[in-house]
Amino acid sequence: MSMPPASAPVPTVDGAATGASQDRSQEALAILSRVFGYDAFRGDQAAIIEQVASGGDAVVLMPTGGGKSLCYQIPALLREGTGIVVSPLIALMADQVAALEAVGLRAAYLNSTLDLHEAQAVEQQLLAGELDLLYMAPERLVLPRTVQLLQRAQLALIAIDEAHCVSQWGHDFRPDYLGLSMLADAFPGVPRIALTATATEQTHRELTERLRLEQARHFVASFDRPNIQYRIEPKASPREQLLRLIAAEHEGDSGIVYCLSRKSVETTAQWLADRGIPALPYHAGLPPEVRQDHQERFLRADGLIMVATIAFGMGIDKPDVRFVAHLDLPKSIEGYYQETGRAGRDGLPSTAWMAYGLGDVVSQRKFIESGEGSEQYKRSSRAHLDAMLALCETVSCRRVQLLRYFGQDSSPCGNCDTCLAPPQTWDATVAAQKLLSAVIRLDRERGQRFGAGQVIDVLLGRESERSLTSRHHELSVWGIGEELSEKQWRTAIRQLLARGVLEAVGDFGVLVPGERSGPVLRGEETIELALDRSPQRAARRTGRSASGASRAAETLEPVQRERFEALRAWRTSVAKEKQIPPYMVFSDATLVGIVETAPTSMQQLGTVSGVGAKKLAEYGEAVLEALPEAP
Ligand code: ADP
Ligand code: ZN
């Protein structure tokens, strides 16, 4: 199937917008400003809204933080009836609804947390046309009873959020999404809009087919997240490295730390907490009520860190997550991009940071080989891992490489570690040859295959019981690698593994020559490797002192930062009192806007982005009072 061109211009009749569409677009702008407090649409938002509001279907691929919600919320307001929003995560619906109520919309959800009476009340509201938006999970929507209910109501549209969940080869497939193909027949004439932040061509194709969106217009946004700074550093003592990152750049910020295993999630959360950093664990092995509680605390508190497996994060639309850290290597770039994308939805400076080492490469390879699943599945897993490793080992701009993976060309970004501190490279051809020779000789002359540690012992000529009994010192490769340190050898092995010059096989990750070793051994190919950067060199270089404080206020002057902190404190108290997450009062971006505008009247305050009519009426006076005198 070939995709229609991305972001084609809005279709017009006779080359000009029709009167009806002009009226609609004015009305859309009026809603944007009055309800949400924003003065302009971003990217494709206006075109998407016009497409759906005029009754057409849409497929929307937009990165996290791109502003997908407005693409169905505003058409739902423009059209008669209720907008149905399909979302996979019941646990988040209450918050999604609360956020809409906070701006004065009529929203509700139908799910298993409601008792019979509550559910009936919502159904009544729906039938009476008293709801702008109604959220439900796919398993609920496909029930015949729900379909009948919805057929009796007037529907403005059906929005399918996290639509990549329908993709069977994707990283978070949900079987319940497959049932949504029935929507086309059950609700003819109701426009459908599918939205996702997963950008690969395959996902795009699958969701278009499975959701029967053949007639849809496709909107593919740029997947760049310019406010996120990508950094990948060699793993030495990962927790200490994480602690340094938090202390230097993210004191008091909210963040997510991803670990591979449940056990490392728990020990890392405890380790941080022991050092006075508020952190909670989250993984699928915790009881549901504990998970729910931790998630809610994360959403509600300022500056809490969630240490989690990849079970955490989908649908979390907390806008002020300032950093996402990976202590283990993700399995694919899709996963990595989705996870790091949870940082900085509000557009303010944020960090995606990862520590990765030789052990990650070995354990991930082993995991794939020993895993169940077809050969086809393993092949695809290997390809995913290879692309991830290539990103880790690149010596050029990380963002360019990420975007290229999603089919988008760009130029060096200036906001990733390789751009900020270009890695130095060295000619490692001879070193690679020595390493390969050692691996080959050990195998041929001693019948031994070893992991990295023992191969390095041979290269460095280090005596041990094993080397003595195996008479390693009689090998021609004994001690031929003394010009490099153990650490440098490890770095080289890691990079050679990532490039397929070496391979680590079996349960113990023993080294064997890789697919691409031949030309290197024959001297037909030279190998350039990067010197491991020290963490300090890779750190961002801004004028800011490393005195912690939130990166959200990074662009502000010191005096302004004080005012920002005063507003944050005010926001915390209001959020507590109302029992809603602070960002539902105002986002960090809006607080920054208020400080920059330094409003002295309600009217001025109303011009700040993110201050809509309802919030102005509700909080305006209090904000002006909470704002310390301008300098
Ligand atoms: P997504 O669902 O694509 O991750 P959201 O819909 O949650 O993104 O939007 C991300 C943030 O951007 C939210 O805080 C939202 O209010 C804000 N936003 C969306 N559209 C606009 C706009 N046109 N102007 C200003 N802010 C916007
Ligand atoms: Zn870059």
Side-chain angles (χ1 to χ4, degrees):
M1 190 184 93
S2 75
M3 288 294 161
S7 314
V10 185
T12 52
V13 176
D14 296 327
T18 60
S21 94
Q22 251 167 12
D23 287 351
R24 258 196 311 270
S25 80
Q26 296 217 328
E27 179 60 14
L29 261 178
I31 293 174
L32 180 71
S33 154
R34 187 179 69 238
V35 178
F36 298 95
Y38 301 136
D39 33 73
F41 284 115
R42 282 186 190 158
D44 287 334
Q45 279 177 333
I48 298 166
I49 289 168
E50 169 58 22
Q51 166 73 4
V52 179
S54 67
D57 295 339
V59 171
V60 175
L61 275 62
M62 205 186 262
T64 312
K68 285 186 285 299
S69 325
L70 293 184
C71 297
Y72 55 85
Q73 287 165 354
I74 292 184
L77 298 175
L78 288 169
R79 292 174 62 85
E80 287 290 316
T82 304
I84 304 298
V85 185
V86 186
S87 154
L89 294 161
I90 289 175
L92 296 169
M93 287 182 189
D95 272 352
Q96 287 170 323
V97 164
L100 290 171
E101 286 173 340
V103 295
L105 298 185
R106 303 171 303 171
Y109 56 86
L110 268 181
N111 65 32
S112 50
T113 66
L114 300 183
D115 65 28
L116 190 61
H117 279 304
E118 292 167 324
Q120 277 172 347
V122 171
E123 290 177 4
Q124 283 314 314
Q125 282 178 298
L126 170 71
L127 293 173
E130 291 166 7
L131 291 175
D132 299 316
L133 289 147
L134 175 61
Y135 285 73
M136 61 180 77
E139 59 270 23
R140 177 96 177 197
L141 175 52
V142 299
L143 296 177
R145 195 184 166 279
T146 312
V147 174
Q148 282 156 19
L149 170 77
L150 296 183
Q151 282 171 337
R152 283 162 56 213
Q154 179 158 28
L155 301 190
L157 56 88
I158 302 174
I160 301 150
D161 207 2
E162 312 284 357
H164 63 279
C165 289
V166 80
S167 158
Q168 263 164 323
W169 290 101
H171 53 285
D172 28 56
F173 172 55
R174 307 237 160 174
D176 290 323
Y177 264 70
L178 292 175
L180 297 176
S181 61
M182 63 82 185
L183 294 173
D185 293 326
F187 302 97
V190 177
R192 288 172 298 138
I193 170 172
L195 311 103
T196 177
T198 298
T200 54
E201 169 86 16
Q202 186 181 14
T203 314
H204 187 177
R205 193 168 49 235
E206 273 186 70
L207 77 86
T208 305
E209 280 168 15
R210 300 222 162 111
L211 296 175
R212 306 251 331 262
L213 286 160
E214 305 85 1
Q215 308 294 325
R217 276 194 64 203
H218 297 251
F219 299 88
V220 182
S222 163
F223 267 73
D224 191 14
R225 299 286 311 280
N227 61 312
I228 298 183
Q229 183 176 81
Y230 296 96
R231 281 152 48 183
I232 300 177
E233 65 180 52
K235 199 187 260 192
S237 44
R239 287 175 194 164
E240 299 284 352
Q241 289 169 278
L242 173 66
L243 194 62
R244 273 202 295 276
L245 170 81
I246 296 170
E249 301 169 51
H250 288 291
E251 205 174 291
D253 282 350
S254 293
I256 305 175
V257 177
Y258 282 109
C259 303
L260 206 55
S261 73
R262 296 174 183 186
K263 187 160 182 313
S264 59
V265 162
E266 296 197 356
T267 52
T268 305
Q270 188 59 48
W271 189 89
L272 286 173
D274 289 345
R275 276 148 194 82
I277 296 182
L280 292 172
Y282 188 105
H283 59 70
L286 292 170
E289 61 279 8
V290 173
R291 277 196 321 244
Q292 176 74 18
D293 174 58
H294 288 186
Q295 176 169 302
E296 262 167 34
R297 280 158 68 186
F298 178 68
L299 293 174
R300 275 165 176 60
D302 262 341
L304 196 59
I305 292 172
M306 190 68 111
V307 184
T309 60
I310 54 170
F312 177 75
M314 196 193 350
I316 296 284
D317 47 13
K318 185 173 167 62
D320 55 0
V321 175
R322 292 269 73 83
F323 70 92
V324 170
H326 282 90
L327 295 188
D328 296 300
L329 185 72
K331 292 186 178 56
S332 68
I333 291 192
E334 284 91 339
Y336 170 76
Y337 210 58
Q338 195 103 26
E339 285 143 28
T340 53
R342 292 173 185 139
R345 293 170 81 117
D346 53 12
L348 298 177
S350 307
T351 311
W353 176 90
M354 175 160 104
Y356 124 98
L358 180 55
D360 287 303
V361 187
V362 174
S363 64
Q364 290 271 16
R365 289 235 191 268
K366 185 175 129 192
F367 186 77
I368 294 173
E369 299 318 321
S370 63
E372 290 170 16
S374 63
E375 192 42 46
Q376 188 198 357
Y377 181 77
K378 285 187 181 176
R379 208 174 315 126
S380 118
S381 304
R382 268 182 232 126
H384 281 301
L385 179 59
D386 286 343
M388 189 65 224
L389 291 174
L391 174 72
C392 292
E393 298 294 1
T394 186
V395 290
S396 55
C397 175
R398 304 232 193 251
R399 194 180 312 267
V400 165
Q401 190 147 341
L402 277 168
L403 294 176
R404 193 186 307 132
Y405 186 82
F406 295 117
Q408 202 183 318
D409 287 329
S410 62
S411 35
C413 72
N415 192 26
C416 72
D417 51 1
T418 50
C419 280
L420 291 166
Q424 292 171 340
T425 59
W426 59 293
D427 183 342
T429 313
V430 173
Q433 288 167 341
K434 286 180 178 176
L435 191 61
L436 284 167
S437 305
V439 166
I440 291 168
R441 297 258 163 224
L442 279 166
D443 191 7
R444 285 207 194 132
E445 294 177 24
R446 294 288 183 273
Q448 292 172 329
R449 289 180 164 193
F450 290 130
Q454 282 141 342
V455 174
I456 294 173
D457 281 349
V458 170
L459 287 166
L460 296 179
R462 277 190 193 151
E463 286 189 356
S464 66
E465 210 174 295
R466 189 197 307 266
S467 76
L468 287 173
T469 48
S470 303
R471 291 176 294 111
H472 284 163
H473 58 278
E474 291 173 14
L475 293 171
S476 59
V477 290
W478 180 253
I480 56 167
E482 283 171 331
E483 71 277 17
L484 298 185
S485 69
E486 156 139 25
K487 185 159 174 282
Q488 287 167 322
W489 277 116
R490 285 195 166 269
T491 300
I493 291 174
R494 195 190 71 218
Q495 296 182 49
L496 292 170
L497 280 170
R499 294 184 189 195
V501 174
L502 273 176
E503 216 178 296
V505 297
D507 274 358
F508 302 103
V510 297
L511 300 178
V512 297
E515 244 166 49
R516 297 182 48 203
S517 59
V520 177
L521 276 170
R522 291 193 295 270
E524 294 161 12
E525 204 173 273
T526 56
I527 294 273
E528 286 280 316
L529 294 183
L531 287 175
D532 257 355
R533 60 188 66 241
S534 66
Q536 284 77 4
R537 279 197 63 231
R540 58 182 284 106
R541 296 178 170 176
T542 63
R544 264 185 81 217
S545 66
S547 64
S550 173
R551 282 193 68 178
E554 186 171 282
T555 54
L556 298 176
E557 301 294 320
V559 240
Q560 289 182 315
R561 242 178 267 163
E562 273 169 40
R563 311 185 86 209
F564 175 81
E565 290 304 329
L567 285 178
R568 267 227 300 194
W570 165 80
R571 182 179 68 178
T572 305
S573 66
V574 176
K576 261 215 186 96
E577 188 188 315
K578 299 209 155 208
Q579 300 199 322
I580 55 174
Y583 65 81
M584 278 188 203
V585 179
F586 284 123
S587 70
D588 279 356
T590 301
L591 295 190
V592 168
I594 294 174
V595 169
E596 281 170 347
T597 311
T600 50
S601 67
M602 289 284 275
Q603 197 242 338
Q604 270 180 343
L605 180 59
T607 65
V608 175
S609 181
V611 185
K614 175 150 193 275
K615 288 189 181 175
L616 182 65
E618 197 162 350
Y619 306 122
E621 302 280 356
V623 167
L624 293 175
E625 232 164 79
L627 208 54
E629 286 291 301

